Amino acid sequence: MAAENRTQHEVRLFAIAGALLLALCFCFGGNSAQGNWGTTAASLLAVPVLVLAVFRSGISAQASVVRWGMLVAVAILLIPSLQLLPLPAFLWSLPAARPPLLHDLETAGVMGLDLRWSLMPATTEREIWFLLPGIALFFCMQVIGHRGWRPMLWLLVTLALANLMFAVVQIAAGRDSPLNLYPAYAPQWGGIFANSNHQADMLALALMLVLVLIGRAWRRARERGHYGAELGALAGLALIFAIALPIVGSRAGVIIVMLMLLAVLASSGLAKFRVLRESRVRLAGVVLAVVVLIIGLHAAVGWLRIDADADSTADSRARMSSETLKVGIDHAPWGAGVGSFIPAYQQGARNDGLMNVYVNNAHNDYAQWWLEAGILGVAVTLLALGVLVRTLVRLLRLPLKSSTRTCGLAAMMGIGVIVLHSMVDYPLRTQALMAVFAVLAGIAVAAAGAKAEAAQRRERSGPGRRRSGQI
């Protein structure tokens, strides 16, 4: 009993530490261009949390999906760490972009260069500190267990709602108000975010979390025979987030929500043929979701077609992504170094790729990761996507009434928002959304590796009835 109480006390401490770290990252990490004392404090706090969480979660990790998830988390942190190491001259010169750079430096009289993997070691070192809170939060989610996942998901919803309210206050206060965190620009519904597209990400993933919770509340209300205040409150929150999204002005955010709506419906179990035959309301809801999906796909295709037209816009994201991939080839196989995108792009991009704007990100996290991390970065990205797919499959196999399944799928729907938006933007370059993504990924992976409550009861009553791998 004493050991059990001690374990519960440890889990509670990890949950508190994770919540504080998430709140710190979110409140101060809305700008991808520069850090502040809050982001520095978050990185420092992440060090002891990460060490203790790795030790604690490593002991209890049994499911293979959890171990693979931990491997990906460690690999993400390991890449910039490896890039700080020196390389022999013949290996350093393998990328096509480096011999001309070396020649120019020698011509300018710069001798005795420190030939490290990264072309900008100082920036790469800062990126390690930037990544620490996210990795720490991922491992924290492995420790706190299913009792802590739901409060963390509600904390994310609360942060999204609070930031929306803060944005409203900013708009009302005006540009010169001290509440405007970015006085160089007029308030644009961003709240703590410098980019209103990232505000749309937060609203969209919060909407996905609420919609999954609505599905569970609906099933419970049907079983009881009456609809309580919980369902009404969740519906109200969903309505607020849905109305706010188009107001923020992010085309991608609205399109992504349309695309993710069908995924939420399909994973909820409410769209089964047998269930639809019993309820005209559910059938109408499914038809509406399909119509919204078709509209979303049409809007997405139209947006991509317009964006790809070089004559239609001066800063086409498609052009930036394409140019980033080309520059990445010049820096392959090593990559230019995590955090070195701006100088690498400015030096390597063709004239039509530079355009007339300051390019601070590729507006495609996958292309930018390829440029900065090279082949190793691509391998880790593919491994991470594979782990997420396996996580989703395992979650879908859990019983519909399982709270573990609900928490895991809610997290997966939020992950889907960021994974999709990363194709046309850079949400993971802000510490706020990086921390949110880490929490969601940690919950999803941990839930996929956990045994559902119903499965646990069946195993206790009849160990031989069910193989351990069939949860």
Side-chain angles (χ1 to χ4, degrees), residues 87-129:
L87 289 175
F90 75 96
L91 289 178
W92 187 91
S93 301
L94 281 180
R98 296 197 178 190
L101 175 62
L102 182 61
H103 178 267
D104 292 343
L105 291 173
E106 290 176 346
T107 303
V110 180
M111 306 299 292
L113 294 175
D114 184 10
L115 303 181
R116 299 201 201 183
W117 185 329
S118 171
L119 296 178
M120 297 185 65
T123 305
T124 301
E125 185 177 346
R126 286 199 297 269
E127 290 297 310
I128 295 175
W129 287 99

Coordinates of all heavy atoms in Angstrom, one line a residue, residues 87-129:
L87 N 33.3 17.0 -38.4 CA 33.4 16.0 -39.4 C 34.8 16.1 -40.1 O 35.4 17.1 -40.2 CB 32.3 16.2 -40.5 CG 30.9 15.9 -40.1 CD1 30.0 16.3 -41.3 CD2 30.7 14.5 -39.8
P88 N 35.3 14.9 -40.5 CA 36.5 15.0 -41.3 C 36.3 15.8 -42.6 O 35.2 15.9 -43.1 CB 36.8 13.5 -41.7 CG 36.0 12.7 -40.7 CD 34.8 13.5 -40.3
A89 N 37.3 16.4 -43.1 CA 37.2 17.3 -44.2 C 36.5 16.7 -45.4 O 35.7 17.3 -46.1 CB 38.6 17.9 -44.6
F90 N 36.9 15.4 -45.7 CA 36.3 14.8 -46.9 C 34.8 14.6 -46.8 O 34.0 14.6 -47.7 CB 37.0 13.5 -47.3 CG 36.7 12.4 -46.4 CD1 35.8 11.4 -46.8 CD2 37.4 12.2 -45.2 CE1 35.5 10.3 -46.0 CE2 37.1 11.1 -44.4 CZ 36.2 10.2 -44.7
L91 N 34.3 14.3 -45.5 CA 32.9 14.1 -45.3 C 32.2 15.5 -45.2 O 31.1 15.6 -45.7 CB 32.7 13.3 -43.9 CG 33.1 11.9 -43.9 CD1 32.8 11.3 -42.6 CD2 32.3 11.1 -45.0
W92 N 32.9 16.4 -44.6 CA 32.2 17.8 -44.5 C 32.0 18.3 -45.9 O 31.0 19.1 -46.1 CB 33.2 18.7 -43.7 CG 32.6 20.0 -43.4 CD1 31.9 20.4 -42.3 CD2 32.7 21.2 -44.2 NE1 31.5 21.7 -42.4 CE2 32.0 22.2 -43.5 CE3 33.3 21.5 -45.5 CZ2 31.9 23.5 -44.0 CZ3 33.1 22.8 -46.0 CH2 32.5 23.8 -45.3
S93 N 32.8 18.0 -46.9 CA 32.7 18.6 -48.2 C 31.8 17.8 -49.2 O 31.7 18.2 -50.3 CB 34.2 18.6 -48.9 OG 35.0 19.4 -48.1
L94 N 31.2 16.8 -48.7 CA 30.3 16.0 -49.5 C 29.1 16.8 -50.1 O 28.9 16.7 -51.3 CB 29.8 14.7 -48.8 CG 30.7 13.6 -48.7 CD1 30.0 12.4 -47.9 CD2 31.1 13.0 -50.0
P95 N 28.4 17.6 -49.3 CA 27.3 18.4 -49.9 C 27.8 19.3 -51.0 O 28.9 20.0 -50.8 CB 26.7 19.1 -48.7 CG 27.1 18.3 -47.5 CD 28.5 17.7 -47.9
A96 N 27.1 19.5 -52.1 CA 27.5 20.3 -53.2 C 27.7 21.8 -52.8 O 28.4 22.6 -53.4 CB 26.5 20.2 -54.3
A97 N 26.9 22.2 -51.7 CA 26.9 23.7 -51.4 C 28.2 24.0 -50.5 O 28.5 25.2 -50.4 CB 25.7 24.0 -50.5
R98 N 28.9 23.0 -50.0 CA 30.0 23.4 -49.1 C 31.3 23.7 -49.7 O 32.0 24.6 -49.2 CB 30.1 22.2 -48.0 CG 28.9 22.1 -47.2 CD 29.1 21.3 -46.0 NE 27.8 21.2 -45.2 CZ 27.8 20.7 -43.9 NH1 28.9 20.2 -43.3 NH2 26.6 20.7 -43.3
P99 N 31.8 23.0 -50.7 CA 33.1 23.4 -51.3 C 33.1 24.9 -51.8 O 34.1 25.6 -51.5 CB 33.3 22.4 -52.5 CG 32.5 21.2 -52.0 CD 31.3 21.7 -51.3
P100 N 32.1 25.4 -52.5 CA 32.1 26.8 -52.9 C 32.1 27.7 -51.7 O 32.8 28.7 -51.7 CB 30.8 27.0 -53.7 CG 30.5 25.6 -54.2 CD 30.9 24.7 -53.1
L101 N 31.4 27.3 -50.6 CA 31.4 28.1 -49.4 C 32.8 28.1 -48.8 O 33.3 29.2 -48.3 CB 30.4 27.6 -48.4 CG 30.4 28.2 -47.0 CD1 30.0 29.7 -47.1 CD2 29.4 27.5 -46.1
L102 N 33.4 27.0 -48.7 CA 34.8 26.9 -48.2 C 35.8 27.8 -49.0 O 36.6 28.5 -48.5 CB 35.2 25.5 -48.1 CG 36.6 25.2 -47.5 CD1 36.7 25.7 -46.1 CD2 37.0 23.7 -47.6
H103 N 35.6 27.7 -50.3 CA 36.5 28.5 -51.2 C 36.3 30.0 -51.0 O 37.3 30.8 -50.9 CB 36.2 28.2 -52.7 CG 37.0 28.9 -53.6 ND1 36.5 30.1 -54.2 CD2 38.2 28.7 -54.2 CE1 37.4 30.6 -55.0 NE2 38.5 29.8 -55.0
D104 N 35.1 30.4 -50.8 CA 34.8 31.8 -50.6 C 35.4 32.3 -49.3 O 36.0 33.4 -49.2 CB 33.3 32.1 -50.6 CG 32.7 31.9 -52.0 OD1 33.5 31.9 -53.0 OD2 31.5 31.8 -52.1
L105 N 35.3 31.5 -48.2 CA 35.8 31.8 -46.9 C 37.4 31.9 -47.0 O 38.0 32.8 -46.4 CB 35.4 30.8 -45.9 CG 33.9 30.8 -45.5 CD1 33.5 29.7 -44.6 CD2 33.5 32.2 -44.9
E106 N 38.0 31.0 -47.7 CA 39.5 31.0 -47.8 C 39.9 32.2 -48.6 O 40.9 32.8 -48.3 CB 39.9 29.7 -48.4 CG 39.8 28.5 -47.5 CD 40.2 27.2 -48.1 OE1 40.3 27.2 -49.4 OE2 40.3 26.2 -47.4
T107 N 39.1 32.5 -49.6 CA 39.5 33.7 -50.4 C 39.4 35.0 -49.6 O 40.2 35.9 -49.8 CB 38.5 33.8 -51.6 OG1 38.6 32.6 -52.4 CG2 38.9 35.0 -52.5
A108 N 38.4 35.0 -48.7 CA 38.3 36.2 -47.8 C 39.3 36.2 -46.6 O 39.3 37.1 -45.8 CB 36.9 36.2 -47.2
G109 N 40.2 35.2 -46.6 CA 41.2 35.1 -45.6 C 40.8 34.4 -44.3 O 41.6 34.5 -43.3
V110 N 39.7 33.7 -44.3 CA 39.3 33.0 -43.1 C 39.9 31.6 -43.2 O 39.6 30.8 -44.1 CB 37.7 32.9 -43.1 CG1 37.3 32.1 -41.8 CG2 37.1 34.2 -43.1
M111 N 40.8 31.3 -42.2 CA 41.5 30.0 -42.3 C 41.2 29.2 -41.0 O 40.7 29.8 -40.0 CB 43.0 30.3 -42.4 CG 43.4 31.1 -43.6 SD 42.9 30.4 -45.2 CE 44.0 29.0 -45.2
G112 N 41.6 28.0 -41.0 CA 41.4 27.1 -39.8 C 40.0 27.0 -39.3 O 39.7 27.2 -38.2
L113 N 39.1 26.7 -40.3 CA 37.7 26.6 -40.0 C 37.4 25.4 -39.1 O 38.0 24.4 -39.2 CB 36.9 26.5 -41.3 CG 36.9 27.8 -42.2 CD1 36.2 27.5 -43.5 CD2 36.3 29.0 -41.4
D114 N 36.4 25.6 -38.3 CA 35.9 24.5 -37.4 C 34.8 23.7 -38.3 O 33.7 24.1 -38.4 CB 35.3 25.0 -36.1 CG 34.8 23.9 -35.2 OD1 35.2 22.7 -35.5 OD2 34.2 24.2 -34.2
L115 N 35.2 22.6 -38.9 CA 34.3 21.9 -39.8 C 33.4 21.0 -39.0 O 33.6 19.8 -38.9 CB 35.2 21.1 -40.8 CG 36.2 21.9 -41.6 CD1 36.9 21.0 -42.6 CD2 35.5 23.0 -42.4
R116 N 32.3 21.6 -38.6 CA 31.3 20.8 -37.9 C 30.2 20.4 -38.9 O 30.0 21.0 -39.9 CB 30.7 21.6 -36.7 CG 31.7 21.9 -35.7 CD 31.1 22.2 -34.4 NE 31.9 23.0 -33.5 CZ 31.5 23.3 -32.2 NH1 30.3 22.9 -31.8 NH2 32.3 24.1 -31.5
W117 N 29.4 19.4 -38.4 CA 28.3 18.9 -39.2 C 27.4 20.1 -39.6 O 27.0 20.3 -40.7 CB 27.6 17.9 -38.4 CG 26.4 17.2 -39.1 CD1 25.6 17.7 -40.1 CD2 26.0 15.8 -38.9 NE1 24.7 16.8 -40.4 CE2 24.9 15.6 -39.7 CE3 26.4 14.8 -38.0 CZ2 24.2 14.4 -39.8 CZ3 25.7 13.6 -38.1 CH2 24.6 13.4 -38.9
S118 N 27.0 20.9 -38.6 CA 26.1 22.1 -38.8 C 27.0 23.3 -39.3 O 28.1 23.5 -38.8 CB 25.4 22.5 -37.5 OG 24.7 23.7 -37.6
L119 N 26.4 24.0 -40.2 CA 27.1 25.2 -40.7 C 26.9 26.4 -39.7 O 27.7 27.4 -39.8 CB 26.5 25.7 -42.0 CG 26.8 24.7 -43.2 CD1 26.1 25.2 -44.5 CD2 28.3 24.5 -43.4
M120 N 26.0 26.3 -38.7 CA 25.7 27.3 -37.7 C 25.6 26.6 -36.4 O 24.5 26.4 -35.9 CB 24.5 28.1 -38.1 CG 24.6 28.9 -39.3 SD 23.2 30.0 -39.6 CE 23.3 31.1 -38.2
P121 N 26.7 26.2 -35.8 CA 26.6 25.4 -34.5 C 25.9 26.1 -33.4 O 25.2 25.5 -32.6 CB 28.1 25.2 -34.2 CG 28.8 25.3 -35.5 CD 28.1 26.3 -36.3
A122 N 26.1 27.5 -33.3 CA 25.5 28.2 -32.2 C 24.0 28.2 -32.3 O 23.2 28.0 -31.3 CB 26.0 29.7 -32.2
T123 N 23.5 28.3 -33.5 CA 22.0 28.3 -33.7 C 21.5 26.9 -33.5 O 20.4 26.7 -32.9 CB 21.7 28.7 -35.2 OG1 22.2 30.0 -35.4 CG2 20.2 28.7 -35.4
T124 N 22.2 25.9 -33.9 CA 21.8 24.5 -33.7 C 21.8 24.2 -32.2 O 20.9 23.4 -31.7 CB 22.8 23.5 -34.4 OG1 22.8 23.8 -35.8 CG2 22.4 22.1 -34.2
E125 N 22.7 24.7 -31.4 CA 22.7 24.5 -30.0 C 21.4 25.1 -29.4 O 20.8 24.6 -28.4 CB 23.9 25.1 -29.3 CG 24.0 24.8 -27.9 CD 25.3 25.4 -27.3 OE1 26.3 25.7 -28.1 OE2 25.4 25.5 -26.0
R126 N 21.0 26.3 -29.9 CA 19.8 26.9 -29.4 C 18.6 26.1 -29.7 O 17.6 26.0 -28.9 CB 19.7 28.3 -30.0 CG 20.6 29.4 -29.4 CD 20.1 30.8 -29.7 NE 20.1 31.1 -31.1 CZ 21.1 31.6 -31.8 NH1 22.2 31.9 -31.1 NH2 21.0 31.8 -33.1
E127 N 18.6 25.4 -30.8 CA 17.5 24.6 -31.2 C 17.3 23.4 -30.2 O 16.2 22.9 -30.0 CB 17.6 24.1 -32.6 CG 17.4 25.2 -33.7 CD 16.0 25.7 -33.6 OE1 15.1 25.0 -33.7 OE2 15.9 27.0 -33.6
I128 N 18.5 22.9 -29.7 CA 18.4 21.8 -28.7 C 17.6 22.3 -27.5 O 16.7 21.6 -27.0 CB 19.8 21.4 -28.3 CG1 20.5 20.7 -29.5 CG2 19.8 20.3 -27.2 CD1 22.0 20.4 -29.3
W129 N 17.9 23.5 -27.0 CA 17.2 24.0 -25.9 C 15.8 24.3 -26.2 O 14.9 24.1 -25.4 CB 17.9 25.3 -25.4 CG 19.2 25.1 -24.7 CD1 20.4 25.3 -25.2 CD2 19.3 24.7 -23.3 NE1 21.4 25.0 -24.3 CE2 20.7 24.7 -23.1 CE3 18.5 24.5 -22.3 CZ2 21.3 24.3 -21.9 CZ3 19.0 24.1 -21.1 CH2 20.4 24.0 -20.9

